[in-house]
């Protein structure tokens, strides 16, 4: 009897169940590559002024592979973005949202060994809600401390709500929820499919005898 496995841990674990040094380097390398790849869709989105973020597709892919890959990917993308796009150093605070995505995915994988379409849909809404609150909180703090201006894809709706005398946090939160739902639907779907495709290549359809 054979049982097919879909867990990334089979790529990274040694015979004693612990990540080997080379496997750890491989995880870090994956994270760096995926972090740089994130620049592609983000640039495409910025160039065509699309109402999305498009900066976490490969963060999702990396997170499905391992916690290390996900963290490295998020760190690389946000750090390189500061120099590549001449962002303010304050933009590094947005990396909190990317790290949250990684931790949410890894925690969910620990609780649900096999991930299917229903799980992806649930994660889309869960992640969107959490990082919308995070994003609004981050913006509110930076706005108070450094007079940080809204420059993201929700700036028009933010300005509209703010002009209606709504609090900064509420004005930043409300437009983020629908924007994140659409954006994370794209990121989670493509990121997950990318992971599944690469996983099959890396494992060559390894089967575990049960």
């Amino acid at each position: 009897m054979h049982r097919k496995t879909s867990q990334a841990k089979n790529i990274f674990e040694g015979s004693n169940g612990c990540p080997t040094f080379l496997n750890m380097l491989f995880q870090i390398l994956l994270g760096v590559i995926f972090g740089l790849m994130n620049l592609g869709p983000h640039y495409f989105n910025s160039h065509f002024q699309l109402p999305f973020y498009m900066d976490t597709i490969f963060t999702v892919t990396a997170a499905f592979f391992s916690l290390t890959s996900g963290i490295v990917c998020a760190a690389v993308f946000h750090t390189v973005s500061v120099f590549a796009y001449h962002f303010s150093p304050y933009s590094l605070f947005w990396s909190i949202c990317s790290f949250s995505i990684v931790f949410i995915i890894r925690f969910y994988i620990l609780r649900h060994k096999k991930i299917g379409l229903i799980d992806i849909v649930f994660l889309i809404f869960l992640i969107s809600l959490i990082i919308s609150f995070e994003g609004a909180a981050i913006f509110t703090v930076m706005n108070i401390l450094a007079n940080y201006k809204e420059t993201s894809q929700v700036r028009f709706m933010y300005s509209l709500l703010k002009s209606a005398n709504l609090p900064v946090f509420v004005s930043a939160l409300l437009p983020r929820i629908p924007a994140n739902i659409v954006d994370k639907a794209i990121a989670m779907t493509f990121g997950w499919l990318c992971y599944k495709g690469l996983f099959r290549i890396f494992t060559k359809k390894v089967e575990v005898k049960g």
Side-chain angles (χ1 to χ4, degrees), residues 23-189:
N23 281 335
M24 182 60 71
L25 285 180
F26 182 56
Q27 293 180 57
I28 294 173
L29 179 61
L30 275 180
V32 171
I33 292 173
F34 286 135
L36 295 175
M37 288 175 67
N38 262 336
L39 295 170
H42 182 66
Y43 173 80
F44 177 86
N45 181 73
S46 300
H47 180 74
F48 290 99
Q49 295 294 304
L50 300 177
F52 311 120
Y53 298 103
M54 299 292 286
D55 57 0
T56 56
I57 291 177
F58 296 107
T59 301
V60 170
T61 302
F64 273 112
F65 275 106
S66 75
L67 177 63
T68 300
S69 295
I71 290 175
V72 171
C73 175
V76 167
F77 169 72
H78 286 281
T79 302
V80 173
S81 293
V82 171
F83 300 99
Y85 300 120
H86 306 290
F87 288 161
S88 163
Y90 283 108
S91 66
L92 288 174
F93 284 107
W94 298 117
S95 64
I96 294 173
C97 295
S98 294
F99 290 132
S100 294
I101 292 173
V102 174
F103 285 117
I104 291 169
I105 290 175
R106 292 312 306 175
F107 179 76
Y108 194 86
I109 289 175
L110 287 176
R111 301 294 299 272
H112 304 79
K113 296 302 180 182
K114 202 159 187 178
I115 305 298
L117 183 58
I118 294 178
D119 300 292
I120 295 300
V121 172
F122 175 76
L123 283 170
I124 288 171
F125 285 98
L126 178 64
I127 288 173
S128 298
L129 188 61
I130 290 175
I131 66 173
S132 290
F133 275 91
E134 281 185 351
I138 292 170
F139 174 78
T140 301
V141 171
M142 291 196 296
N143 179 261
I144 294 172
L145 297 181
N147 196 30
Y148 190 87
K149 303 300 182 182
E150 182 64 88
T151 58
S152 72
Q153 288 75 356
V154 300
R155 57 185 176 274
F156 173 76
M157 285 302 299
Y158 167 79
S159 299
L160 190 64
L161 294 171
K162 192 68 175 64
S163 66
N165 295 320
L166 289 176
V168 171
F169 178 79
V170 176
S171 298
L173 172 64
L174 293 181
R176 273 181 165 79
I177 295 176
N180 272 314
I181 289 175
V182 176
D183 182 76
K184 295 309 172 281
I186 296 171
M188 286 297 300
T189 301

